[in-house]
Every structure is written in structure tokens, then in C-alpha cells.
Amino acid sequence: MEIQTHFSLKKFNTFGIEASAKQFVAVQNVLELKTILIENNTEKKFILGGGSNMLLTKDIDALVIHIDLKGKKVISENEDFVWVESQAGENWHEFVLWTIENDFGGLENMSLIPGNVGTTPVQNIGAYGAEIKDTFISCEAIRIDNQNIKTFTNSECHFGYRESIFKNEVKDQYIITSVVFKLTKRNHIINISYGDISGELAKANIINPTIIDVSNAVIAIRQSKLPDPKELGNSGSFFKNPILLKTDFEKIHQKFPEMKYFEISPTEVKVPAGWLIEQAGFKGKRFGDAGIHKNQALVLVNYGNATGQEILNISKNIQETIFKTYGIQIEAEVNVI
Ligand code: EPU
């Protein structure tokens, strides 16, 4: 466990932005993590997982602790269910593939999401009709200031759409070290109601899909719309889909009857930010090395040497244009550092 100085973070953020850390250390188990926290009690610290949900706009003047804890295992099971535990540093997609290879159901709709397992509860990741909160049982976390270990149950996490206690009440207080999910061993609940999945399965003439079929369909859809961070720097959806009160939305909808929306409760609707951004003419636009992806307007991309500030400027331009045009405020999903 070696602390390095002036360390480049380019390979540690999926946007591929060049920024450096004053100090950097990777920890491989909880004991190492505890030791680093104790020995550097007074240092400013920055916790880095898979780097898939952040935009670096400046160098980090702190000790960056990269959570590289590995391991996944079954911790309990009965005839119908299995409880699996993954350490925080496991790559999410590799973990999902491992559950599918073992015929454990529940995570297949969230195949190919970038990032590590430990950060999935922070923003309650979700895709194609599933969210982490549907299978999440608990996570273990270490408190940064006193190194106490705490287990957060599902209800204690206060999950919402891309929200949790870790982004709000206990923001920056804990480091998640492992997560437990409850998955099905049989009678898998196949969820293909989200738009494109059933179409993708029909293309392959699959009538009774297994969890492998669903995972493959999700992978195919994601690959057709979302850029692979290894080839084109990005952080997935840059913005959240805005949630509006139905009463406010109705006034906007009268002016823009073609606007897409989804009812999410009797009083609220969600408007796809990708649609708003596309209508505002940003989709596929490039400004220097920064741009808006050609197949999914929610995704901002780095063509090579964009700075975080350049990406941030595009995001602000988009936010202002959407607000001026539609009176709708769209919020970043990505953490801007
Ligand atoms: N749309 C457009 N233009 C675009 C993109 C989308 O008009 O450029 C429209 C689509 O036609 C569709 C609607 O917007 O009617 C929704 O599009 P899509 O199904 O692609 O999903 P999304 O709402 O844009 C969300 C998640 C994605 C997730 C997909 C699929 C958020 C912020 N994003 O995107 O998550 O993969 O649903 O479930 O909720 C991520 O968080 O990084 C991410 C990629």
C-alpha cells in the first residue's frame, strides 16, 4: 500500500479527463482502508470507486483513496433465493455476468452499466425497468472520521430515483465496502416491459426469454445507443430525467403537445431529458473535443483531450437552453468535482 504523489487520474475516470491527485492510494481490503484512514486522519480525503459517475474539472487537492476491494460469494440460500455479497471494488458488469452464469436472477436488466459495485447504492443505479433497490438487502460501510463499521439496510438507504442517503443525509461520511443482494434461484421474474427489450428479443425470435436472453438484449440495446467508455470517454447519462408536478407539466404540455412523458405517480410525471436535449438541437453536436453523443442526447462525451471545464460548459449551455425553451430545469446526475 504505497501513497503516490501528483498521480494522474486519467485512467481512473471513465470520461478520460486529465487531472491529478495530490496523493493517491489504492486499498485492497478493509484493514488497509482502516489503516489509511487512521494514519491520515487530518488529511483531506477523496473517495474514488470506478470513476464512472464524475466529471473532474480540476486537480484534486486531497488524498485520493481508490477502493479496490475484491471478492464475491454466496452467503446464504434456500430453495428459492440466494444472498450474494460483493466487495465494493468489483466491476459491476462482471459481477452481473457472474450472477447470470450461476443462474441467479434479478440483476440482468442492469447489465453493462459502467462502474463498481460499491457505488451502485449511492445513486440507486437503474436501467430498463430495474433499480438496485429492488434486490438490494444491505451494505456495509465504514465511517470516515471514526472508522466505525455500520450496516445500512434497504429501508435505511432512503432510495429514490438516482437518490439515496449517501447523496443526502450522510453525504461524504461513509465508504461503502460491500453490498448484499437477494436474487432468485428459480421462478425468475422476467421483466421485459421496458420499451426496446421485447423488440430486441423478437428480433432473435425468442418467445420465452431466460435471464441470459434478457441480459443479452440489454447489452445489445446499450451497445447500440451508449458509447463504450473504453472507446469514447463518457459518464453515462449526464443529466437526470426531470420530475414535474402534473399540474405544472400540463401547462407546458399545452404549448408543446409532442413532448414525451411518463406518469410516475398520480401527481408526477417524468420527462425524458434526452428528448428535450435532442429537440433543442444538441444531439450529435461537437465543440472541440467535447460533445453530445449522436445516439443518446443524455450522454456527454470526450473525443480525446476535452477538459472537464469544456464538458461542464456544454452542460450549462444545455441546461440554460432547455430552461429558456421549455421552462424545465434539468439537473446533472454526474458529480461535478
Ligand atoms: N430520447 C430522445 N432522444 C435521445 C434520447 C432519448 O428522444 O437522444 C427519448 C426516447 O425516444 C425515449 C425516451 O427519451 O422515448 C427515453 O429514452 P431511453 O429509453 O433511452 O432512456 P433515458 O430516459 O434517456 C434512462 C437512464 C439510462 C438508462 C435508460 C434505460 C436516466 C438519467 N437515464 O435514460 O441510464 O440506461 O433509461 O433504462 O434515468 C445512466 O444512468 O447512466 C443511464 C445510461
Side-chain angles (χ1 to χ4, degrees), residues 103 111 116 286 333:
D103 198 25
S111 298
N116 289 352
R286 182 172 172 168
E333 188 204 310

Side-chain angles (χ1 to χ4, degrees), residues 7 13 31 45 57 66 85 101 105 127 152 174 248 271 301:
F7 187 86
N13 71 101
L31 189 62
K45 291 177 264 313
T57 62
H66 175 46
E85 180 188 68
E101 276 158 23
F152 288 87
Y174 285 92
D248 293 337
V271 177
V301 293

Side-chain angles (χ1 to χ4, degrees), residues 73-232:
K73 60 176 193 249
V74 169
I75 52 168
S76 169
E77 60 189 304
N78 61 28
E79 276 182 17
D80 296 312
F81 298 103
V82 62
W83 283 254
V84 292
E85 180 188 68
S86 170
Q87 298 301 304
E90 287 287 339
N91 172 270
W92 171 257
H93 181 56
E94 281 168 25
F95 172 63
V96 171
L97 290 183
W98 174 79
T99 63
I100 293 168
E101 276 158 23
N102 284 285
D103 198 25
F104 302 153
L107 303 180
E108 55 282 356
N109 291 49
M110 291 179 283
S111 298
L112 212 61
I113 296 183
N116 289 352
V117 173
T119 36
T120 59
V122 177
Q123 52 155 347
N124 180 27
I125 63 162
Y128 302 100
E131 282 181 322
I132 266 304
K133 71 164 173 52
D134 308 332
T135 45
F136 174 101
I137 291 294
S138 63
C139 65
E140 204 155 88
I142 183 164
R143 215 182 130 125
I144 295 173
D145 60 0
N146 61 14
Q147 297 83 46
N148 286 342
I149 307 271
K150 176 171 165 59
T151 301
F152 288 87
T153 62
N154 188 312
S155 65
E156 282 170 341
C157 287
H158 301 166
F159 288 126
Y161 167 59
R162 296 294 194 274
E163 284 294 347
S164 77
I165 193 169
F166 303 104
K167 281 176 94 173
N168 297 295
E169 297 95 318
V170 299
K171 187 173 168 30
D172 297 332
Q173 287 177 26
Y174 285 92
I175 301 170
I176 295 169
T177 52
S178 62
V179 187
V180 177
F181 298 94
K182 181 184 171 190
L183 305 174
T184 49
K185 276 172 69 180
R186 57 180 189 183
N187 303 324
H188 299 314
I189 301 157
I190 300 291
N191 174 3
I192 56 166
S193 55
Y194 194 97
D196 307 342
I197 299 188
S198 46
E200 195 62 39
L201 291 166
K203 264 200 249 166
N205 287 322
I206 294 167
I207 294 153
N208 289 313
T210 62
I211 56 173
I212 301 173
D213 296 326
V214 175
S215 171
N216 286 339
V218 168
I219 290 173
I221 299 165
R222 288 188 76 95
Q223 283 174 338
S224 72
K225 284 192 181 176
L226 298 166
D228 178 350
K230 289 194 195 96
E231 284 156 25
L232 187 62

Side-chain angles (χ1 to χ4, degrees), residues 126-128 161-162 194 222 225-226 236-237 239-241 260 262 272 274-275 278 283 296-298 333:
Y128 302 100
Y161 167 59
R162 296 294 194 274
Y194 194 97
R222 288 188 76 95
K225 284 192 181 176
L226 298 166
S237 302
F239 300 102
K240 291 200 260 190
N241 289 328
K260 292 203 175 183
F262 306 94
W275 186 89
E278 178 170 350
K283 193 169 179 173
Q296 165 54 289
L298 258 189
E333 188 204 310

Side-chain angles (χ1 to χ4, degrees), residues 223-296:
Q223 283 174 338
S224 72
K225 284 192 181 176
L226 298 166
D228 178 350
K230 289 194 195 96
E231 284 156 25
L232 187 62
N234 77 88
S235 215
S237 302
F238 193 91
F239 300 102
K240 291 200 260 190
N241 289 328
I243 294 170
L244 305 182
L245 281 174
K246 248 189 194 168
T247 44
D248 293 337
F249 174 72
E250 271 153 16
K251 286 178 210 145
I252 301 172
H253 201 214
Q254 272 177 2
K255 269 174 81 184
F256 303 98
E258 69 288 5
M259 187 176 284
K260 292 203 175 183
Y261 65 99
F262 306 94
E263 263 191 38
I264 56 162
S265 80
T267 54
E268 291 168 313
V269 300
K270 205 189 248 182
V271 177
W275 186 89
L276 297 170
I277 299 168
E278 178 170 350
Q279 297 300 308
F282 285 103
K283 193 169 179 173
K285 281 256 170 77
R286 182 172 172 168
F287 306 87
D289 258 1
I292 299 99
H293 190 53
K294 61 179 192 323
N295 297 336
Q296 165 54 289

